[in-house]
Amino acid sequence: MTPSRKIKETATKYATKNYNLNKIQLKSKSPEEILNLFKKKSIDKDWTFAEYKPSDTGKWTHSYHRYPAKFIPQLVEKLIDEYITSEDAHINDPFMGCGTTIVTAISRGFKGSGTDINKISALITKVKSTPIEPSYLDEKIKSLLGKLQFLADSQTQNLFPNVNIEPLIPQKHIERINYWFSEQSKYELGIILRTIYDEEDETIRDFFLIAFSHILKNCSIWLQASTKPTRDFKKKPTKPYIILRRHLKKMQRGNNSFYQIVPLKVKNNIENYLNIKIQDAKNQPTSDNEVDLIISSSPYVTSYEYADLHQLSTIWLDFADNLTEYRKEFIGSAHKYSNNKKLKSKIAQKIVNKMQEKNKKMANEIRTFFIDMQEVFDESYRILKSGGRCCYVIGDTCLKGVNILNAKVFAESLQYSGFIIDRIIKRKIPSKILPQKRDLETGRFASNHHANSEAYPIEYIVIGLKE
């Protein structure tokens, strides 16, 4: 054997030994090792994206609809650039939210799949991910606005008595609608909604419905800057037609730029590339071993009551018969309670034990959340191909003085689902549509002036690898 061959074989043997050793170390990280891993992590400036302006993060269709706590498309694009080499990849998001991951997948010519239990989220994602031929959309927008032009200068319904459009106002939710809207706004919104539903093309109708949904907050007495359902009796609601016209034009510009970037093969066969469902994150609409990459931002523990945040859309679009029952379906909801399933994460169990001393109800909510997320991770493992990765964007927070180590629990839980902890990215949040402070005593979000604890100053991307 020549010396060079011997050196090569020795090096290969040494590399293989260390590779296997690294695999064993990664597979068997204890809770203490996980906590230490996070403790040693420094902020990665390459993942902060502080240089991007709102016009960059709101490009294409990303500004169609307001949505709390959404991550930016640049984050998704960077993860895809780092982990996807195939030209025919499949990207999944079990918590689609407003569709950032799915839109990005479609823009690259990839398949996009995912779920959300929130019906307005699913509609937002569908509309944002579906490019429409620009001249056809322009024709449809002009037609809709033309039919509603008489609303532009109206002050009361008595100014257009000859109009034969019956306002569509969901009567099962009339109490809540009356709670948030003036008679004039309610009447005009009802006329707009009726006219939208007269549109026969489902793609165009959904596009209009998202515009309608987006303007509801401006047309109501909902406190404009609040992420909680709070009434502002001093607010002067915007006239529905005026803001609808303005927002449709903005959406039209977004669609036109999106249409230019989406590959022709996708535009001609969108149904073969877009697979999204209104259902639980624990049940993805894909076969085993089908997905190349999962990119998602899950809810936080009792962070946002998404059913409440989107209740204006829910009541006007008649997405739920009963809002109270609808809330219970959401992971991370304070209305959802635990079953008899076991909490596997030891880090999570310590958090629950600490919260038990402060608030038993909240402790049960936390336990339920982490049990639910464990099942989501099991589902992520099922649908990923060998060599695929799941990337969960999550931050830690604090409730009633108890540190809720979401990211650490996620990392531990991914191991129980079969994943190797492949990478942890720590990033600052330069701008995100969420309050920056919590009240330590109540755990509720509050203004910076009244709060005494930062909510999410940083967040992590926890990446699991399926061998």
Side-chain angles (χ1 to χ4, degrees), residues 144 147-160 163 165-169 177 181-196 212 215-216 219 237-245 316:
L144 177 73
K147 293 174 184 176
L148 297 170
Q149 177 63 42
F150 67 92
L151 293 174
D153 302 316
S154 67
Q155 298 299 319
T156 70
Q157 65 186 73
N158 294 327
L159 292 183
F160 39 87
V163 174
I165 301 175
E166 180 67 24
L168 178 55
I169 304 171
I177 290 175
F181 297 89
S182 69
E183 284 298 310
Q184 182 65 20
S185 292
K186 181 176 68 174
Y187 182 86
E188 294 190 21
L189 286 168
I191 288 177
I192 291 171
L193 187 59
R194 176 72 71 185
T195 307
I196 288 173
F212 178 85
I215 70 171
L216 289 173
C219 300
T238 308
K239 288 183 65 61
Y241 177 84
I242 301 301
I243 191 170
L244 177 70
R245 181 176 60 193
W316 272 100

Short mmCIF file of all heavy atoms in Angstrom, two decimals, residues 144 147-160 163 165-169 177 181-196 212 215-216 219 237-245 316:
data_model
loop_
_atom_site.label_atom_id
_atom_site.label_comp_id
_atom_site.label_asym_id
_atom_site.label_seq_id
_atom_site.Cartn_x
_atom_site.Cartn_y
_atom_site.Cartn_z
N LEU A 144 -66.40 46.20 -11.47
CA LEU A 144 -66.91 46.24 -10.09
C LEU A 144 -67.03 47.67 -9.59
O LEU A 144 -68.08 48.07 -9.05
CB LEU A 144 -65.97 45.46 -9.17
CG LEU A 144 -66.36 45.49 -7.68
CD1 LEU A 144 -67.59 44.63 -7.42
CD2 LEU A 144 -65.19 45.05 -6.80
N LYS A 147 -69.96 49.56 -11.08
CA LYS A 147 -71.26 49.22 -10.49
C LYS A 147 -71.48 49.89 -9.13
O LYS A 147 -72.61 50.12 -8.71
CB LYS A 147 -71.38 47.70 -10.34
CG LYS A 147 -71.43 46.95 -11.65
CD LYS A 147 -71.39 45.44 -11.41
CE LYS A 147 -71.35 44.67 -12.73
NZ LYS A 147 -71.23 43.20 -12.50
N LEU A 148 -70.37 50.19 -8.46
CA LEU A 148 -70.46 50.76 -7.11
C LEU A 148 -70.18 52.25 -7.07
O LEU A 148 -70.16 52.85 -5.99
CB LEU A 148 -69.48 50.03 -6.18
CG LEU A 148 -69.73 48.54 -5.96
CD1 LEU A 148 -68.55 47.91 -5.22
CD2 LEU A 148 -71.03 48.31 -5.20
N GLN A 149 -69.98 52.85 -8.22
CA GLN A 149 -69.59 54.26 -8.29
C GLN A 149 -70.57 55.17 -7.55
O GLN A 149 -70.18 56.19 -6.96
CB GLN A 149 -69.48 54.70 -9.75
CG GLN A 149 -69.16 56.17 -9.97
CD GLN A 149 -67.81 56.57 -9.41
OE1 GLN A 149 -66.84 55.82 -9.57
NE2 GLN A 149 -67.73 57.73 -8.77
N PHE A 150 -71.84 54.81 -7.54
CA PHE A 150 -72.85 55.66 -6.89
C PHE A 150 -72.60 55.82 -5.39
O PHE A 150 -73.12 56.74 -4.76
CB PHE A 150 -74.25 55.09 -7.13
CG PHE A 150 -74.51 53.79 -6.45
CD1 PHE A 150 -75.07 53.76 -5.17
CD2 PHE A 150 -74.20 52.58 -7.07
CE1 PHE A 150 -75.32 52.55 -4.54
CE2 PHE A 150 -74.45 51.37 -6.44
CZ PHE A 150 -75.00 51.36 -5.17
N LEU A 151 -71.79 54.94 -4.82
CA LEU A 151 -71.49 55.04 -3.38
C LEU A 151 -70.45 56.12 -3.08
O LEU A 151 -70.30 56.52 -1.93
CB LEU A 151 -70.96 53.70 -2.86
CG LEU A 151 -71.92 52.51 -2.85
CD1 LEU A 151 -71.17 51.25 -2.43
CD2 LEU A 151 -73.08 52.77 -1.90
N ALA A 152 -69.75 56.55 -4.10
CA ALA A 152 -68.61 57.45 -3.89
C ALA A 152 -68.97 58.73 -3.17
O ALA A 152 -68.27 59.17 -2.27
CB ALA A 152 -67.94 57.76 -5.23
N ASP A 153 -70.06 59.33 -3.56
CA ASP A 153 -70.40 60.64 -2.99
C ASP A 153 -71.60 60.59 -2.05
O ASP A 153 -72.10 61.62 -1.62
CB ASP A 153 -70.70 61.63 -4.13
CG ASP A 153 -69.53 61.77 -5.07
OD1 ASP A 153 -68.39 61.88 -4.57
OD2 ASP A 153 -69.75 61.77 -6.29
N SER A 154 -72.08 59.40 -1.74
CA SER A 154 -73.27 59.29 -0.90
C SER A 154 -72.96 59.59 0.57
O SER A 154 -71.89 59.30 1.06
CB SER A 154 -73.85 57.89 -1.02
OG SER A 154 -72.96 56.95 -0.45
N GLN A 155 -73.90 60.18 1.23
CA GLN A 155 -73.80 60.44 2.66
C GLN A 155 -74.80 59.58 3.44
O GLN A 155 -74.52 59.12 4.53
CB GLN A 155 -74.07 61.92 2.96
CG GLN A 155 -73.05 62.86 2.31
CD GLN A 155 -71.64 62.60 2.80
OE1 GLN A 155 -71.44 62.38 4.00
NE2 GLN A 155 -70.66 62.63 1.90
N THR A 156 -75.95 59.36 2.85
CA THR A 156 -76.96 58.50 3.47
C THR A 156 -77.61 57.67 2.38
O THR A 156 -77.54 58.01 1.20
CB THR A 156 -78.07 59.31 4.17
OG1 THR A 156 -78.87 59.98 3.19
CG2 THR A 156 -77.49 60.34 5.13
N GLN A 157 -78.22 56.57 2.77
CA GLN A 157 -78.85 55.71 1.78
C GLN A 157 -80.00 56.40 1.05
O GLN A 157 -80.39 55.98 -0.02
CB GLN A 157 -79.35 54.42 2.45
CG GLN A 157 -80.47 54.64 3.45
CD GLN A 157 -80.82 53.35 4.17
OE1 GLN A 157 -80.07 52.89 5.01
NE2 GLN A 157 -81.97 52.78 3.84
N ASN A 158 -80.52 57.47 1.65
CA ASN A 158 -81.63 58.16 1.02
C ASN A 158 -81.22 58.87 -0.26
O ASN A 158 -82.07 59.31 -1.03
CB ASN A 158 -82.24 59.18 2.00
CG ASN A 158 -82.88 58.49 3.20
OD1 ASN A 158 -83.43 57.40 3.05
ND2 ASN A 158 -82.81 59.12 4.35
N LEU A 159 -79.89 59.02 -0.46
CA LEU A 159 -79.42 59.70 -1.66
C LEU A 159 -79.46 58.81 -2.89
O LEU A 159 -79.28 59.26 -4.00
CB LEU A 159 -77.98 60.21 -1.45
CG LEU A 159 -77.84 61.36 -0.43
CD1 LEU A 159 -76.39 61.82 -0.36
CD2 LEU A 159 -78.73 62.54 -0.81
N PHE A 160 -79.67 57.51 -2.71
CA PHE A 160 -79.79 56.64 -3.88
C PHE A 160 -80.95 55.66 -3.67
O PHE A 160 -80.76 54.45 -3.62
CB PHE A 160 -78.48 55.88 -4.16
CG PHE A 160 -77.74 55.40 -2.93
CD1 PHE A 160 -78.05 54.16 -2.37
CD2 PHE A 160 -76.77 56.18 -2.34
CE1 PHE A 160 -77.36 53.70 -1.26
CE2 PHE A 160 -76.09 55.72 -1.23
CZ PHE A 160 -76.38 54.48 -0.68
N VAL A 163 -81.63 52.63 -6.31
CA VAL A 163 -80.70 51.52 -6.48
C VAL A 163 -81.39 50.23 -6.03
O VAL A 163 -81.94 50.15 -4.94
CB VAL A 163 -79.42 51.76 -5.64
CG1 VAL A 163 -78.53 50.53 -5.70
CG2 VAL A 163 -78.68 52.98 -6.18
N ILE A 165 -80.05 47.23 -5.41
CA ILE A 165 -79.13 46.25 -4.86
C ILE A 165 -79.49 46.02 -3.39
O ILE A 165 -79.44 46.95 -2.58
CB ILE A 165 -77.66 46.72 -4.96
CG1 ILE A 165 -77.28 46.98 -6.42
CG2 ILE A 165 -76.72 45.70 -4.34
CD1 ILE A 165 -75.89 47.56 -6.61
N GLU A 166 -79.85 44.81 -3.06
CA GLU A 166 -80.20 44.49 -1.68
C GLU A 166 -78.92 44.23 -0.89
O GLU A 166 -78.15 43.31 -1.21
CB GLU A 166 -81.08 43.23 -1.64
CG GLU A 166 -81.50 42.81 -0.25
CD GLU A 166 -82.43 43.80 0.43
OE1 GLU A 166 -83.11 44.56 -0.30
OE2 GLU A 166 -82.47 43.81 1.67
N PRO A 167 -78.63 45.02 0.15
CA PRO A 167 -77.39 44.81 0.92
C PRO A 167 -77.33 43.40 1.50
O PRO A 167 -78.33 42.88 2.00
CB PRO A 167 -77.49 45.85 2.03
CG PRO A 167 -78.43 46.89 1.51
CD PRO A 167 -79.42 46.15 0.66
N LEU A 168 -76.17 42.78 1.41
CA LEU A 168 -75.96 41.45 1.97
C LEU A 168 -75.30 41.60 3.34
O LEU A 168 -74.09 41.83 3.44
CB LEU A 168 -75.09 40.60 1.04
CG LEU A 168 -74.73 39.19 1.52
CD1 LEU A 168 -75.99 38.40 1.84
CD2 LEU A 168 -73.88 38.48 0.49
N ILE A 169 -76.09 41.50 4.38
CA ILE A 169 -75.61 41.65 5.76
C ILE A 169 -75.97 40.38 6.52
O ILE A 169 -77.15 40.12 6.76
CB ILE A 169 -76.24 42.88 6.44
CG1 ILE A 169 -75.98 44.14 5.61
CG2 ILE A 169 -75.70 43.04 7.85
CD1 ILE A 169 -76.74 45.36 6.08
N ILE A 177 -72.07 42.71 14.16
CA ILE A 177 -71.90 43.72 13.10
C ILE A 177 -72.36 45.09 13.62
O ILE A 177 -71.69 46.10 13.41
CB ILE A 177 -72.68 43.31 11.84
CG1 ILE A 177 -71.99 42.09 11.18
CG2 ILE A 177 -72.77 44.47 10.84
CD1 ILE A 177 -72.73 41.51 10.01
N PHE A 181 -70.03 48.44 13.58
CA PHE A 181 -70.24 49.29 12.41
C PHE A 181 -71.44 50.22 12.58
O PHE A 181 -72.46 49.84 13.17
CB PHE A 181 -70.44 48.42 11.16
CG PHE A 181 -69.26 47.57 10.81
CD1 PHE A 181 -69.13 46.29 11.34
CD2 PHE A 181 -68.28 48.05 9.96
CE1 PHE A 181 -68.04 45.49 11.02
CE2 PHE A 181 -67.18 47.26 9.64
CZ PHE A 181 -67.06 45.98 10.17
N SER A 182 -71.30 51.42 12.01
CA SER A 182 -72.42 52.36 11.97
C SER A 182 -73.44 51.87 10.95
O SER A 182 -73.13 51.02 10.10
CB SER A 182 -71.93 53.75 11.57
OG SER A 182 -71.50 53.76 10.21
N GLU A 183 -74.63 52.41 11.00
CA GLU A 183 -75.68 52.02 10.05
C GLU A 183 -75.26 52.30 8.62
O GLU A 183 -75.49 51.51 7.71
CB GLU A 183 -76.99 52.74 10.38
CG GLU A 183 -77.72 52.17 11.58
CD GLU A 183 -78.15 50.73 11.37
OE1 GLU A 183 -78.76 50.43 10.32
OE2 GLU A 183 -77.85 49.88 12.23
N GLN A 184 -74.64 53.47 8.43
CA GLN A 184 -74.22 53.85 7.07
C GLN A 184 -73.14 52.91 6.54
O GLN A 184 -73.22 52.42 5.41
CB GLN A 184 -73.72 55.30 7.07
CG GLN A 184 -73.31 55.81 5.70
CD GLN A 184 -74.47 55.91 4.73
OE1 GLN A 184 -75.62 55.94 5.14
NE2 GLN A 184 -74.18 55.94 3.44
N SER A 185 -72.13 52.65 7.35
CA SER A 185 -71.05 51.75 6.92
C SER A 185 -71.59 50.35 6.67
O SER A 185 -71.23 49.69 5.68
CB SER A 185 -69.95 51.70 7.98
OG SER A 185 -69.27 52.93 8.07
N LYS A 186 -72.46 49.90 7.55
CA LYS A 186 -73.05 48.57 7.42
C LYS A 186 -73.82 48.45 6.10
O LYS A 186 -73.70 47.45 5.38
CB LYS A 186 -73.97 48.32 8.61
CG LYS A 186 -74.64 46.96 8.61
CD LYS A 186 -75.46 46.75 9.89
CE LYS A 186 -76.66 47.69 9.93
NZ LYS A 186 -77.54 47.39 11.10
N TYR A 187 -74.58 49.47 5.80
CA TYR A 187 -75.39 49.47 4.58
C TYR A 187 -74.51 49.44 3.33
O TYR A 187 -74.73 48.64 2.41
CB TYR A 187 -76.28 50.71 4.57
CG TYR A 187 -77.21 50.80 3.38
CD1 TYR A 187 -78.45 50.18 3.39
CD2 TYR A 187 -76.84 51.52 2.24
CE1 TYR A 187 -79.31 50.26 2.30
CE2 TYR A 187 -77.68 51.60 1.15
CZ TYR A 187 -78.92 50.98 1.18
OH TYR A 187 -79.76 51.05 0.11
N GLU A 188 -73.50 50.30 3.29
CA GLU A 188 -72.63 50.37 2.11
C GLU A 188 -71.80 49.09 1.96
O GLU A 188 -71.60 48.60 0.84
CB GLU A 188 -71.73 51.60 2.19
CG GLU A 188 -72.51 52.90 2.10
CD GLU A 188 -71.62 54.12 1.92
OE1 GLU A 188 -70.46 53.95 1.48
OE2 GLU A 188 -72.09 55.23 2.21
N LEU A 189 -71.30 48.55 3.06
CA LEU A 189 -70.55 47.30 3.00
C LEU A 189 -71.43 46.16 2.49
O LEU A 189 -70.98 45.30 1.73
CB LEU A 189 -69.97 46.96 4.37
CG LEU A 189 -68.78 47.81 4.84
CD1 LEU A 189 -68.49 47.58 6.32
CD2 LEU A 189 -67.53 47.51 4.00
N GLY A 190 -72.68 46.17 2.91
CA GLY A 190 -73.61 45.15 2.45
C GLY A 190 -73.84 45.21 0.96
O GLY A 190 -73.95 44.18 0.28
N ILE A 191 -73.92 46.41 0.41
CA ILE A 191 -74.08 46.58 -1.04
C ILE A 191 -72.83 46.10 -1.77
O ILE A 191 -72.92 45.41 -2.79
CB ILE A 191 -74.37 48.06 -1.37
CG1 ILE A 191 -75.80 48.42 -0.93
CG2 ILE A 191 -74.18 48.33 -2.86
CD1 ILE A 191 -76.17 49.87 -1.15
N ILE A 192 -71.67 46.45 -1.24
CA ILE A 192 -70.41 46.01 -1.85
C ILE A 192 -70.32 44.49 -1.85
O ILE A 192 -69.98 43.87 -2.86
CB ILE A 192 -69.20 46.63 -1.11
CG1 ILE A 192 -69.15 48.14 -1.36
CG2 ILE A 192 -67.90 45.98 -1.55
CD1 ILE A 192 -68.13 48.88 -0.52
N LEU A 193 -70.64 43.88 -0.71
CA LEU A 193 -70.54 42.44 -0.60
C LEU A 193 -71.50 41.73 -1.56
O LEU A 193 -71.15 40.74 -2.20
CB LEU A 193 -70.82 42.00 0.84
CG LEU A 193 -70.57 40.52 1.17
CD1 LEU A 193 -69.12 40.14 0.90
CD2 LEU A 193 -70.92 40.23 2.63
N ARG A 194 -72.71 42.24 -1.66
CA ARG A 194 -73.68 41.67 -2.59
C ARG A 194 -73.16 41.72 -4.03
O ARG A 194 -73.27 40.75 -4.79
CB ARG A 194 -75.00 42.42 -2.50
CG ARG A 194 -76.06 41.97 -3.48
CD ARG A 194 -76.64 40.61 -3.13
NE ARG A 194 -77.47 40.70 -1.93
CZ ARG A 194 -78.03 39.66 -1.32
NH1 ARG A 194 -77.84 38.44 -1.81
NH2 ARG A 194 -78.76 39.82 -0.22
N THR A 195 -72.58 42.84 -4.39
CA THR A 195 -72.06 43.02 -5.75
C THR A 195 -70.88 42.09 -6.01
O THR A 195 -70.74 41.54 -7.11
CB THR A 195 -71.65 44.49 -5.98
OG1 THR A 195 -72.74 45.35 -5.63
CG2 THR A 195 -71.25 44.73 -7.42
N ILE A 196 -70.05 41.90 -5.00
CA ILE A 196 -68.91 40.98 -5.15
C ILE A 196 -69.39 39.56 -5.39
O ILE A 196 -68.88 38.84 -6.26
CB ILE A 196 -68.00 41.04 -3.90
CG1 ILE A 196 -67.22 42.36 -3.86
CG2 ILE A 196 -67.03 39.86 -3.87
CD1 ILE A 196 -66.42 42.59 -2.60
N PHE A 212 -62.23 43.28 0.28
CA PHE A 212 -63.34 43.61 1.18
C PHE A 212 -62.94 43.32 2.63
O PHE A 212 -63.16 44.15 3.53
CB PHE A 212 -64.57 42.79 0.79
CG PHE A 212 -65.77 43.00 1.67
CD1 PHE A 212 -66.64 44.05 1.44
CD2 PHE A 212 -66.03 42.14 2.74
CE1 PHE A 212 -67.75 44.25 2.26
CE2 PHE A 212 -67.13 42.33 3.56
CZ PHE A 212 -67.99 43.39 3.32
N ILE A 215 -60.51 45.94 4.20
CA ILE A 215 -60.98 47.30 4.50
C ILE A 215 -61.90 47.34 5.72
O ILE A 215 -62.23 48.43 6.21
CB ILE A 215 -61.70 47.93 3.30
CG1 ILE A 215 -63.05 47.25 3.05
CG2 ILE A 215 -60.80 47.91 2.07
CD1 ILE A 215 -63.92 47.96 2.03
N LEU A 216 -62.34 46.19 6.21
CA LEU A 216 -63.35 46.18 7.28
C LEU A 216 -62.89 46.93 8.53
O LEU A 216 -63.68 47.63 9.16
CB LEU A 216 -63.71 44.73 7.63
CG LEU A 216 -64.53 43.99 6.57
CD1 LEU A 216 -64.68 42.52 6.94
CD2 LEU A 216 -65.91 44.64 6.40
N CYS A 219 -63.25 50.60 8.17
CA CYS A 219 -64.65 51.04 8.07
C CYS A 219 -65.42 50.86 9.37
O CYS A 219 -66.59 51.23 9.46
CB CYS A 219 -65.36 50.28 6.95
SG CYS A 219 -64.61 50.52 5.33
N PRO A 237 -64.85 56.29 10.87
CA PRO A 237 -64.60 55.21 9.91
C PRO A 237 -64.46 55.74 8.48
O PRO A 237 -65.13 56.70 8.08
CB PRO A 237 -65.84 54.32 10.04
CG PRO A 237 -66.37 54.60 11.41
CD PRO A 237 -66.10 56.07 11.63
N THR A 238 -63.60 55.10 7.72
CA THR A 238 -63.41 55.46 6.32
C THR A 238 -64.59 54.98 5.49
O THR A 238 -65.17 53.93 5.76
CB THR A 238 -62.13 54.78 5.79
OG1 THR A 238 -61.04 55.07 6.66
CG2 THR A 238 -61.80 55.27 4.38
N LYS A 239 -64.97 55.76 4.49
CA LYS A 239 -66.07 55.36 3.62
C LYS A 239 -65.66 54.12 2.83
O LYS A 239 -64.60 54.08 2.20
CB LYS A 239 -66.44 56.50 2.67
CG LYS A 239 -67.16 57.66 3.38
CD LYS A 239 -67.57 58.73 2.38
CE LYS A 239 -68.60 58.23 1.39
NZ LYS A 239 -69.86 57.79 2.02
N PRO A 240 -66.49 53.08 2.86
CA PRO A 240 -66.13 51.80 2.26
C PRO A 240 -65.70 51.86 0.80
O PRO A 240 -64.68 51.27 0.43
CB PRO A 240 -67.41 50.98 2.43
CG PRO A 240 -68.05 51.53 3.66
CD PRO A 240 -67.78 53.00 3.59
N TYR A 241 -66.45 52.57 -0.04
CA TYR A 241 -66.12 52.58 -1.47
C TYR A 241 -64.77 53.22 -1.72
O TYR A 241 -63.97 52.73 -2.53
CB TYR A 241 -67.20 53.32 -2.27
CG TYR A 241 -66.87 53.43 -3.74
CD1 TYR A 241 -67.16 52.39 -4.61
CD2 TYR A 241 -66.24 54.56 -4.25
CE1 TYR A 241 -66.84 52.47 -5.96
CE2 TYR A 241 -65.91 54.65 -5.60
CZ TYR A 241 -66.21 53.60 -6.45
OH TYR A 241 -65.88 53.69 -7.79
N ILE A 242 -64.50 54.30 -1.00
CA ILE A 242 -63.24 55.04 -1.22
C ILE A 242 -62.04 54.16 -0.91
O ILE A 242 -61.09 54.07 -1.70
CB ILE A 242 -63.21 56.31 -0.35
CG1 ILE A 242 -64.40 57.23 -0.67
CG2 ILE A 242 -61.89 57.05 -0.52
CD1 ILE A 242 -64.46 57.67 -2.12
N ILE A 243 -62.08 53.49 0.24
CA ILE A 243 -60.91 52.67 0.61
C ILE A 243 -60.86 51.38 -0.21
O ILE A 243 -59.79 50.86 -0.50
CB ILE A 243 -60.91 52.37 2.13
CG1 ILE A 243 -59.57 51.76 2.52
CG2 ILE A 243 -62.07 51.48 2.54
CD1 ILE A 243 -59.36 51.64 4.01
N LEU A 244 -62.02 50.87 -0.62
CA LEU A 244 -62.02 49.68 -1.47
C LEU A 244 -61.35 49.99 -2.81
O LEU A 244 -60.51 49.21 -3.29
CB LEU A 244 -63.46 49.21 -1.72
CG LEU A 244 -63.59 48.00 -2.67
CD1 LEU A 244 -63.06 46.74 -2.01
CD2 LEU A 244 -65.03 47.82 -3.12
N ARG A 245 -61.71 51.11 -3.39
CA ARG A 245 -61.11 51.50 -4.67
C ARG A 245 -59.60 51.65 -4.54
O ARG A 245 -58.83 51.15 -5.38
CB ARG A 245 -61.73 52.82 -5.14
CG ARG A 245 -61.20 53.32 -6.48
CD ARG A 245 -61.94 54.58 -6.90
NE ARG A 245 -61.78 55.65 -5.91
CZ ARG A 245 -62.50 56.77 -5.89
NH1 ARG A 245 -63.46 56.96 -6.80
NH2 ARG A 245 -62.29 57.69 -4.97
N TRP A 316 -68.59 38.89 8.60
CA TRP A 316 -69.09 39.41 7.32
C TRP A 316 -69.08 38.34 6.23
O TRP A 316 -69.98 38.29 5.39
CB TRP A 316 -68.29 40.62 6.87
CG TRP A 316 -68.82 41.92 7.40
CD1 TRP A 316 -68.35 42.63 8.47
CD2 TRP A 316 -69.94 42.66 6.90
NE1 TRP A 316 -69.10 43.76 8.66
CE2 TRP A 316 -70.08 43.82 7.71
CE3 TRP A 316 -70.83 42.48 5.84
CZ2 TRP A 316 -71.08 44.77 7.49
CZ3 TRP A 316 -71.82 43.42 5.62
CH2 TRP A 316 -71.94 44.56 6.44
#
